[in-house]
Amino acid sequence: MTAALSILPGNAEGPVLAMTEGLSFWGGVDPATARVIDAHHPLHGACLAGAVVMMPTSRGSCSGSGVVLDLLLKGNAPAALIFSEPEDILTLGSLIGAEMFGRSFPVLRVAEGDFARLAAQPRLSIREEEIVADGTRMPILAPRDTSLSLTEDDRAILDGRDGKAAALSMRIICAMARQQGATRLTDISRGHIDGCILAHPANLIFAEKMDELGARVRVPTTINAISVDRQHWQEQGVPPVFGNQASRLADAYVRMGCRPSFTCAPYLLEDRPGLAEPIAWAESNAVVYANSVLGARSPKHPDFLDLCMAVTGRAPLTGVYLDEGRLPRRVIDIAPPPDHDDAIWPLLGYLAGLTSPDRIPLLRGLAALSPTSDDLKALCAAFGTTSAAPMLHIDGVTPEAGPFAADADQCHIGPEDLARAWYLLNQGPQDVDLIAIGSPHASATECRALARALDGDRPSIPVIVTAGRQIIEELRLDGTLARLETAGVQVIPDLCWCSITEPVFPPAARTVMTTSGKYAHYGPGLSGRALRFGSMAECAAVALTGWAPAEPPEWLGGHRGNSFESF
């Protein structure tokens, strides 16, 4: 064995829980029990509390940092985390626990070969200077000094010129910059806050603590979807305790100067970032879309770090802020079926993430399909669910697609893979009780497509669309909202499917069908329901009958793909 690198120091001991693939703590771990709820993960059902958790790196949602903080505050966190690749989201959760609440656990990084050897041990003891495993000792090296260079303004913020919250924010940013290997910080032009969902108490505790300390954003900052329809939750029957806490969480960010946009698709707002614009966004689908489609620049920032950057206007200059950090290091050649519908895009994004879980890919073979902005939205959201990478390139489509790294490898996605992914996302029974549209928030064109597909017919099961306030107002003005509501479709602002709870989520629904690859993946763990996946037209058809076909659509009909063990 060589040596481990200390990312966050500490002492710990516990049984080893080793994972061969990354896990999104948000949507993948129950904060109340510390059990893995990601139905698609090999360790589904395993408990993380008190374990030395090992994984190559995390994946998926930026909100994983909030889950880590909540686990720490509840006393059921892992004993330690050990990665074999760089990781920010879960690390940040432990860092916030240490900085604000005096609670954290050690975070280490080891070489790939050492990772495999440690993963085979039944139990590990982590001390300040070594890992002890069944007679074997591995030294732990202190974090390297990156000689982080700060401006006079950075130092003034750090010394308290702008108040306690800004000083705390700068300390956290500097700590993350050092562990990422950054040598300086960069200005950011705007932010997007992700930790505003009341998925657990830690998000509310953090936000109100920062507000109490006087945090105020320095750059225009939008807010992600929240956990209630802010203006109507009382009449929707939401329990008062939950509704009030969710409202307090949203209001805390508004008091700190954030715009009450309440959407997980900020790229659908009129004012969106431009090419090469340095921004600080959290929310995985938004980050992937901003980098890939708009050409803006933002790493997949963890929850809580997003507010720290908005408060200071600064971010670690690393990763995709830099030209070299945006190069693809995997080329994925895609052979799509000659005929397809819009369901192909979530499937492609989901597969691209599974195929490239730890690096930026270049997708080739899609330019002739002329993907729309909605197609790219669906692809990016699904990709951000299964990959840790903050962006992708599509040859002939996205603005920076072109050269790839000299050491980039190559792989292939074909119709058989698409069919296997379809089966993977269609584990629920054929009897469907609810149609879920809008994960991420639905666009105006998606809502119009749903209205056309229903064509005035009234669904036999509930159909719920979640969308941003700006989009709903656009639908109101052009008459689409009236068409949908006349058909019995419920269109809800502020919430999204990843934050919706009962009774807004129909309690009697047992099986849900969605157009979203993201929600088809996270839905079983988040809602406790079975999921089906399909195109907009298929969802509209199932809404009328309540019955989903057992087999894939005809464009995948020749590729049954009954085995998906390779995923």
Side-chain angles (χ1 to χ4, degrees):
M1 293 189 181
T2 53
L5 177 66
S6 174
I7 306 301
L8 290 175
N11 297 308
E13 183 174 357
V16 172
L17 182 64
M19 305 182 185
T20 57
E21 64 182 63
L23 174 68
S24 173
F25 270 41
W26 183 89
V29 176
D30 182 352
T33 64
R35 292 196 176 275
V36 177
I37 57 173
D38 182 344
H40 302 283
H41 197 276
L43 289 187
H44 176 250
C47 184
L48 309 186
V52 177
V53 176
M54 301 183 63
M55 66 178 79
T57 188
S58 65
R59 72 180 186 192
S61 177
C62 304
S63 298
S65 50
V67 176
V68 168
L69 179 59
D70 197 63
L71 293 172
L72 282 167
L73 296 180
K74 285 188 171 78
N76 60 353
L81 288 174
I82 300 179
F83 302 106
S84 60
E85 301 166 15
E87 198 284 334
D88 292 340
I89 294 173
L90 308 183
T91 301
L92 192 277
S94 185
L95 175 61
I96 292 289
E99 283 284 343
M100 296 185 70
F101 304 100
R103 303 184 188 184
S104 66
F105 49 70
V107 180
L108 305 173
R109 190 185 309 151
V110 299
E112 188 174 339
D114 292 334
F115 182 93
R117 285 185 282 273
L118 290 175
Q121 298 293 326
R123 191 174 187 86
L124 292 177
S125 176
I126 298 170
R127 302 168 187 172
E128 289 189 4
E129 298 179 350
E130 64 180 358
I131 302 174
V132 179
D134 194 22
T136 301
R137 296 177 183 270
M138 174 186 289
I140 298 176
L141 303 179
R144 60 187 182 279
D145 182 5
T146 60
S147 302
L148 182 64
S149 177
L150 300 179
T151 66
E152 289 185 10
D153 193 57
D154 293 335
R155 293 192 187 93
I157 296 172
L158 200 56
D159 291 340
R161 181 197 68 192
D162 298 342
K164 293 181 180 179
L168 173 62
S169 296
M170 184 59 78
R171 284 204 310 274
I172 291 168
I173 290 169
C174 289
M176 287 299 290
R178 290 188 177 97
Q179 85 94 6
Q180 292 170 345
T183 58
R184 61 190 178 95
L185 307 181
T186 186
D187 288 333
I188 51 107
S189 62
R190 67 180 82 200
H192 182 72
I193 300 296
D194 185 47
C196 48
I197 294 175
L198 191 66
H200 41 71
N203 279 357
L204 178 59
I205 293 169
F206 171 82
E208 291 193 331
K209 181 67 173 178
M210 291 295 284
D211 182 37
E212 177 188 331
L213 291 173
R216 297 297 180 267
V217 300
R218 294 180 63 170
V219 297
T221 302
T222 48
I223 303 177
N224 208 51
I226 58 176
S227 294
V228 290
D229 177 343
R230 184 65 188 86
Q231 297 173 339
H232 305 104
W233 64 265
Q234 294 94 335
E235 60 202 66
Q236 293 166 344
V238 174
V241 171
F242 182 85
N244 283 318
Q245 289 184 343
S247 298
R248 281 168 49 194
L249 177 55
D251 293 347
Y253 281 109
V254 174
R255 285 195 302 272
M256 287 186 276
C258 300
R259 172 183 172 187
S261 50
F262 302 149
T263 180
C264 52
Y267 45 83
L268 295 179
L269 298 171
E270 290 180 358
D271 177 28
R272 63 185 196 172
L275 187 66
E277 182 179 343
I279 62 176
W281 279 12
E283 164 56 50
S284 60
N285 97 84
V287 170
V288 176
Y289 190 98
N291 281 308
S292 307
V293 182
L294 303 181
R297 300 195 169 198
S298 176
K300 191 188 280 189
H301 290 302
D303 286 13
F304 308 146
L305 187 64
D306 49 10
L307 180 63
C308 294
M309 293 181 294
V311 165
T312 61
R314 303 284 278 169
L317 183 59
T318 186
V320 292
Y321 284 128
L322 303 169
D323 290 345
E324 58 268 27
R326 301 175 72 82
L327 279 176
R329 286 179 164 76
R330 175 157 292 159
V331 177
I332 304 177
D333 289 306
I334 298 172
D339 298 310
H340 62 270
D341 56 32
D342 53 277
I344 193 174
W345 299 104
L347 293 176
L348 284 172
Y350 196 78
L351 286 168
L354 290 172
T355 305
S356 191
D358 59 353
R359 67 197 69 186
I360 296 170
L362 170 66
L363 311 187
R364 299 194 300 198
L366 299 179
L369 303 186
S370 301
T372 66
S373 59
D374 285 332
D375 297 334
L376 297 173
K377 170 174 168 282
L379 185 148
C380 289
F383 176 81
T385 301
T386 51
S387 178
M391 68 180 297
L392 52 81
H393 301 277
I394 304 176
D395 189 40
V397 176
T398 56
E400 299 172 81
F404 47 85
D407 61 348
D409 55 13
Q410 290 185 249
C411 55
H412 177 269
I413 291 175
E416 299 85 356
D417 303 305
L418 289 165
R420 287 198 295 272
W422 186 92
Y423 277 104
L424 192 64
L425 298 179
N426 277 276
Q427 297 292 292
Q430 292 179 260
D431 190 6
V432 175
D433 308 300
L434 172 66
I435 302 296
I437 307 295
S439 180
H441 271 171
S443 70
T445 52
E446 287 176 304
C447 292
R448 293 176 191 129
L450 175 61
R452 287 194 302 271
L454 291 173
D455 194 26
D457 293 331
R458 194 171 185 87
S460 64
I461 59 175
V463 178
I464 299 177
V465 177
T466 60
R469 294 180 176 186
Q470 180 177 302
I471 296 298
I472 292 175
E473 182 58 25
E474 183 179 339
L475 299 173
R476 189 186 315 279
L477 292 174
D478 73 5
T480 303
L481 183 62
R483 289 179 62 194
L484 290 172
E485 290 179 339
T486 299
V489 176
Q490 188 176 7
V491 182
I492 304 176
D494 303 346
L495 290 159
C496 79
W497 282 100
C498 292
S499 66
I500 195 169
T501 56
E502 296 182 11
V504 180
F505 189 114
R510 309 317 307 163
T511 302
V512 184
M513 187 167 184
T514 182
T515 57
S516 167
K518 175 179 179 177
Y519 192 62
H521 178 90
Y522 285 134
L526 289 172
S527 70
R529 272 72 168 190
L531 264 291
R532 301 284 303 188
F533 164 81
S535 68
M536 185 68 79
E538 288 171 330
C539 283
V542 173
L544 301 179
T545 64
W547 191 256
E551 299 298 323
E554 289 187 5
W555 58 274
L556 286 175
H559 307 281
R560 295 302 176 195
N562 290 313
S563 173
F564 41 79
E565 286 80 1
S566 61
F567 296 158

